[in-house]
């Protein structure tokens, strides 16, 4: 369930893109101006942005440059759309930090292929392929978590949290990082919320003996690990 922000002032194009994306299982938000796009980015960090070059007010190019210069958004995948077919424009777009570039008119098939390619390069957790760790299996396509034949019942937030942890194993994630990557709304949620959901996740994983895969790292955050730590009881 990747989040895609579509920044496009032409509503017909924005609707066509979002229709295709939703059909393919993406969560879509549309912004029609640079200001609106910036507000959305501040509110929720998406997995990918489809950014039109020509926008009223600030251009898509300026917006991409701004995102690249800020630490929170510097790795944000961006696909630029433009009506210009000029090679120099393409270079300018890529220089500004776009990951890919598509000239209008384009086929939605091509756009979807580019989106998948950019997400594959940038964010492995955005892929819909199943992940396995320590006998635990999570399948984003069917939203199932299982151990062997045994299914694990977990809520949507715990599912997203588990997905993120499983696709970024053996690394410690702070509560703030988890809020930003899993909840996407770091401004309005308390860090304690993370603890609540980790607790629920562990409870859900207890019947299948997988709760110990999620380790609390004192003063740092959480880590998904297959290596049993001697310091964790
Ligand atoms: Ca436009």
């Amino acid at each position: 369930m990747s989040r895609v922000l579509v920044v496009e002032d032409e509503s017909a194009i924005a609707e066509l893109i979002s229709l295709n994306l939703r059909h393919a299982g993406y969560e879509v938000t549309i912004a029609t101006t640079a200001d609106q796009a910036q507000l959305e980015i501040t509110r929720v960090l998406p997995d990918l942005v489809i950014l039109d070059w020509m926008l009223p007010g600030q251009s898509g190019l300026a917006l991409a440059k701004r995102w690249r210069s800020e630490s929170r958004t510097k790795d944000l995948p961006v696909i630029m759309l433009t009506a210009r077919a000029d090679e120099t424009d393409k270079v300018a777009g890529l220089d500004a930090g776009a990951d890919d570039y598509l000239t209008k008119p384009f086929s939605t098939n091509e756009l979807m292929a580019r989106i998948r390619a950019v997400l594959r390069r940038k964010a492995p957790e955005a892929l819909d392929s199943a992940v396995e760790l320590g006998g635990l299996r999570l399948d984003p396509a069917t939203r199932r978590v299982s151990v062997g034949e045994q299914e694990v019942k977990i809520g949507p937030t715990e599912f997203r949290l588990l997905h993120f942890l499983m696709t970024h194993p053996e690394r410690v994630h702070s509560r703030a990082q988890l809020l930003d990557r899993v909840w996407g709304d770091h401004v309005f949620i308390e860090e304690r919320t993370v603890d609540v959901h980790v607790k629920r996740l562990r409870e859900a994983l207890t019947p299948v003996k997988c709760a110990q895969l999620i380790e609390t790292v004192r003063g740092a955050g959480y880590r998904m690990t297959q290596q049993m730590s001697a310091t964790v009881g």
Side-chain angles (χ1 to χ4, degrees):
M1 277 128 311
S2 301
R3 289 194 182 102
V4 179
L5 173 64
V6 177
V7 189
E8 167 65 88
D9 58 310
E10 288 156 84
S11 59
I13 296 174
E15 282 304 323
L16 181 70
I17 294 171
S18 68
L19 199 72
N20 277 276
L21 283 167
R22 287 195 179 109
H23 188 70
Y26 295 91
E27 209 180 298
V28 187
T29 307
I30 298 174
T32 54
T33 64
D35 284 350
Q36 209 186 329
Q38 189 57 50
L39 276 176
E40 277 302 323
I41 292 284
T42 307
R43 196 175 68 82
V44 179
L45 200 60
D47 297 292
L48 181 132
V49 182
I50 296 169
L51 179 61
D52 187 33
W53 181 308
M54 297 297 282
L55 293 167
Q58 197 183 19
S59 74
L61 195 72
L63 208 50
K65 274 184 181 159
R66 175 176 170 183
W67 292 339
R68 283 296 171 264
S69 71
E70 290 170 7
S71 65
R72 183 164 174 265
T73 47
K74 70 175 167 41
D75 295 322
L76 184 64
V78 175
I79 296 178
M80 283 206 76
L81 300 180
T82 180
R84 315 171 187 207
D86 199 331
E87 194 64 21
T88 54
D89 285 341
K90 177 176 177 173
V91 172
L94 295 172
D95 275 352
D99 295 277
D100 206 345
Y101 184 97
L102 216 50
T103 305
K104 293 175 188 173
F106 52 82
S107 77
T108 48
N109 280 345
E110 182 169 13
L111 176 64
M112 298 308 287
R114 300 281 188 99
I115 289 170
R116 283 193 297 271
V118 168
L119 285 175
R120 206 175 295 130
R121 284 205 303 271
K122 285 273 182 168
E125 80 274 15
L127 286 177
D128 269 354
S129 54
V131 269
E132 250 184 287
L133 195 140
L136 188 65
R137 183 184 157 87
L138 178 146
D139 188 348
T142 59
R143 292 194 68 86
R144 282 188 80 224
V145 178
S146 55
V147 174
E149 292 297 299
Q150 217 177 333
E151 193 167 339
V152 180
K153 293 266 177 251
I154 61 172
T157 304
E158 286 74 41
F159 185 93
R160 286 209 307 276
L161 177 62
L162 182 62
H163 192 200
F164 177 77
L165 290 172
M166 285 180 80
T167 48
H168 300 82
E170 309 300 338
R171 269 178 277 171
V172 182
H173 306 285
S174 71
R175 289 166 179 82
Q177 282 167 343
L178 288 172
L179 278 180
D180 203 29
R181 300 296 298 274
V182 178
W183 279 259
D185 193 344
H186 63 125
V187 183
F188 307 113
I189 301 174
E190 288 180 61
E191 295 197 351
R192 207 174 39 195
T193 305
V194 176
D195 301 332
V196 172
H197 287 280
V198 167
K199 183 168 176 281
R200 281 189 203 158
L201 181 55
R202 281 183 176 140
E203 282 164 4
L205 295 175
T206 299
V208 291
K209 299 179 171 61
C210 285
Q212 79 284 356
L213 293 174
I214 300 161
E215 204 176 69
T216 304
V217 182
R218 195 182 286 247
Y222 295 102
R223 168 168 57 199
M224 187 110 193
T225 182
Q226 291 194 72
Q227 285 139 32
M228 290 300 162
S229 164
T231 56
V232 172

